[in-house]
Amino acid sequence: MQTFIDALQEAVRLLFELDPLVMEIALRSLQVTLGALVISTLLGIPLGALIALAQFPGKRLVVAIVYTGMGLPPVVVGLVVYLFLSRSGAWATWAWLLHR
């Protein structure tokens, strides 16, 4: 238990001292989050409107897939995306994951 308390104290200290590495990580997280929000908004609103308003063959299947996707935990989706983007993944040629 003492190790957990020590780690928590160190984390709070790093936050209040505005440690450069912690700030870099926080800013990167905000950048990724904002990018994901913009992309999902630009894609999601028009596609959601299309699914809701249009009648097309396979609409029930599309709605079922959308509902299934909404039920998945974000960690699982993140892991799947990471696997696609990893060196041996289907989208490895895009080289979006840069390992330092």
Side-chain angles (χ1 to χ4, degrees):
M1 187 67 176
Q2 186 61 34
T3 303
F4 178 73
I5 293 171
D6 292 340
L8 189 59
Q9 288 173 340
E10 179 67 10
V12 170
R13 183 188 68 76
L14 289 171
L15 284 173
F16 281 112
E17 289 181 0
L18 300 176
D19 181 70
L21 184 59
V22 172
M23 293 298 107
E24 179 185 345
I25 292 168
L27 286 174
R28 179 68 47 95
S29 178
L30 287 173
Q31 288 172 339
V32 169
T33 301
L34 183 60
L37 176 66
V38 168
I39 291 169
S40 63
T41 299
L42 292 175
L43 293 175
I45 291 175
L47 288 176
L50 178 70
I51 292 170
L53 300 174
Q55 296 298 323
F56 55 90
K59 180 177 178 175
R60 289 181 59 183
L61 178 63
V62 170
V63 170
I65 291 170
V66 168
Y67 283 151
T68 301
M70 291 190 316
L72 290 173
V75 172
V76 172
V77 175
L79 179 61
V80 170
V81 170
Y82 176 79
L83 291 174
F84 272 103
L85 294 174
S86 66
R87 290 183 190 182
S88 59
W91 302 328
T93 56
W94 292 357
W96 282 4
L97 292 180
L98 301 176
H99 300 281
R100 295 181 189 185

